[in-house]
Amino acid sequence: MIRHRKGGEPIVCLTAYTYPVAHLLNDHVDLLLVGDSVAMVLHGHKTTLGASLEMMIAHGQAVMRGSTKACVVVDMPAGSYEQSPAQALASARRIVDETGCQAVKLEGGVGMAAQIAAIVANGIPVMGHIGLLPQSVESDGGYRIKGRTEENVAALFADAEAVEQAGAFSVVIEGTIETVAADLTRRISIPTIGIGASGDCDGQILVIDDMVGLTVDRVPKFVKEYANLRDVISHAAATYAAEVRSRAFPGPDHIFSATSGKEPI
């Protein structure tokens, strides 16, 4: 269980939104997050606010078909849980029932503790999320790093403790000053998953498209690109286009003839 990994071998997490990617990542990660970042990464929205409950369920179902070992967590999108604990529980129940995922994630600390507690009390594991909250960027005036003032640091500690006490099994710390994220990790007893936070967190997560170099817009500072699929895909498409235009493709190996027999498609 992820909860029992506190202080042990770092927990490896990545986002996934599709069956083939989940299938490829399954053997290498401990946790797959079906993040509401899918609204930006695959659907072209400017923020995660473009994600809907139906969108998250559809992508959650796809990821579950490709995952056999990793713990799959599905994000609860903005508008699906903030109103009340009852709304949060209903949305979480629908996500779990329709996808079969192991847990849900929601953003917020002190203000969302009642929602977390209600979901956990009904047998659904919850991952918390504090620090920079992508669902709140519009009201927060943009993507602002957290932990720069004493007041904000105090609020972060209160959020972390509230999430822990509400029963979450782990918490994502995003976009937070390194020393603050490290202190938060030492303060609470549940695992912390860092993204733009600290190497001292109990685990790390990145958006898969950022990690493999598929992001077409600005890549965040905290991302390390382990591949450059932008160039690979662009080169493949250019080569294909050239071969189609020159009639080099399809060649003899890619067509069916009357003498081909019962070749599989």
Side-chain angles (χ1 to χ4, degrees), residues 139-175:
S139 59
D140 205 24
Y143 293 91
R144 300 181 181 278
I145 300 302
K146 303 302 180 180
R148 295 194 185 279
T149 67
E150 290 185 7
E151 180 182 11
N152 185 233
V153 170
L156 286 169
F157 275 95
D159 284 340
E161 291 168 355
V163 167
E164 176 186 23
Q165 291 169 10
F169 71 91
S170 63
V171 60
V172 171
I173 302 176
E174 180 169 0

Side-chain angles (χ1 to χ4, degrees), residues 229-241:
L229 296 192
R230 286 185 297 271
D231 288 353
V232 172
I233 292 173
S234 181
H235 179 264
T239 303
Y240 166 74

Side-chain angles (χ1 to χ4, degrees), residues 25-67:
L25 299 182
N26 180 67
D27 287 339
H28 306 290
V29 302
D30 302 304
L31 185 149
L32 289 173
L33 173 66
V34 186
D36 57 0
S37 48
V38 67
M40 302 170 70
V41 172
L42 294 189
H43 294 270
H45 292 278
K46 292 189 179 300
T47 71
T48 63
L49 297 178
S52 66
L53 197 57
E54 290 71 25
M55 183 187 294
M56 299 311 305
I57 289 170
H59 287 285
Q61 291 169 339
V63 169
M64 284 298 295
R65 294 183 192 111
S67 173

Side-chain angles (χ1 to χ4, degrees), residues 199-264:
D200 285 340
C201 289
D202 297 296
Q204 300 294 326
I205 188 167
L206 285 176
V207 170
I208 182 62
D209 293 64
D210 290 344
M211 192 272 281
V212 299
L214 267 180
T215 303
V216 296
D217 299 316
R218 186 183 69 84
V219 178
K221 175 185 177 180
F222 56 78
V223 171
K224 178 177 180 179
E225 292 186 330
Y226 288 81
N228 183 359
L229 296 192
R230 286 185 297 271
D231 288 353
V232 172
I233 292 173
S234 181
H235 179 264
T239 303
Y240 166 74
E243 290 193 1
V244 169
R245 291 175 181 133
S246 68
R247 298 192 183 278
F249 178 83
D253 292 338
H254 308 105
I255 59 176
F256 302 97
S257 67
T259 59
S260 297
K262 295 183 178 180
E263 292 179 289

